Amino acid sequence: MASYKNAPSLGRCSGFAAPSPQDAFHLPALRTSVPEARRRVSTLLGEWGAAQQVRDDVELVVTELFTNAVRHTDSEKVGCEIAVVGAHIRIEITDEGGPGASAPHALPGSLDQEGGRGLFLVGALSESWGTRPDDGGRGQVVWADLPYRTTAR
């Protein structure tokens, strides 16, 4: 996992024009919002011409990170930003934090347990991922960079 100090947020660096294509949305921090987030991202990637493997991998990473934000924070809403940055697709999931909320990390031995495998999957599918505080300082952003390619035309 990389440090947030090495991961600027999308379109927020001074002198840096936000890449395109990109999109952002917020959904209520409810379990029922997880499939909605996955559908939105899948639709966007289809419109952008992303290869099917990219779509599948990004959908899985968004599902895992969005689920963690819903289950492990006191958020009322969860944000999702997605953008193509060069040869990568950047995903950022933002929560509102809350008491006891900590940076996500894979638990030792969780590969053998029913739950807890999500961050292992995120790490396996991502070229890099990490966390940083959100702009308000209360919540956090979990980001992941995955390889991006389009379908052959």
Side-chain angles (χ1 to χ4, degrees):
M1 181 169 75
S3 165
Y4 72 87
K5 294 177 180 130
N6 297 333
S9 63
L10 294 175
R12 293 189 190 105
C13 297
S14 61
F16 176 75
S20 127
Q22 64 180 2
D23 195 48
F25 58 88
H26 289 87
L27 294 172
L30 303 170
R31 281 184 282 182
T32 55
S33 294
V34 175
E36 176 63 22
R38 185 174 50 246
R39 277 190 296 275
R40 284 187 182 207
V41 168
S42 180
T43 299
L44 283 170
L45 292 173
E47 291 170 0
W48 297 350
Q52 186 63 50
Q53 186 63 53
V54 171
R55 291 168 66 177
D56 293 344
D57 291 351
V58 170
E59 285 179 36
L60 182 56
V61 169
V62 166
T63 298
E64 295 300 334
L65 297 181
F66 209 96
T67 298
N68 283 350
V70 169
R71 292 179 72 196
H72 301 294
T73 70
D74 289 336
S75 301
E76 291 185 22
K77 65 181 178 177
V78 176
C80 178
E81 292 184 50
I82 184 168
V84 175
V85 182
H88 296 91
I89 190 153
R90 165 65 60 96
I91 303 160
E92 294 185 355
I93 304 295
T94 305
D95 65 50
E96 297 174 319
S102 62
H105 57 282
L107 300 174
S110 62
L111 282 177
D112 299 328
Q113 298 172 357
E114 182 66 25
R117 292 180 281 223
L119 292 177
F120 283 107
L121 292 172
V122 171
L125 296 173
S126 304
E127 290 190 352
S128 60
W129 72 278
T131 64
R132 64 177 169 74
D134 75 342
D135 291 339
R138 182 170 181 257
Q140 65 184 342
V141 177
V142 183
W143 58 269
D145 289 335
L146 283 75
Y148 181 76
R149 66 184 188 289
T150 58
T151 56
R153 298 203 190 251

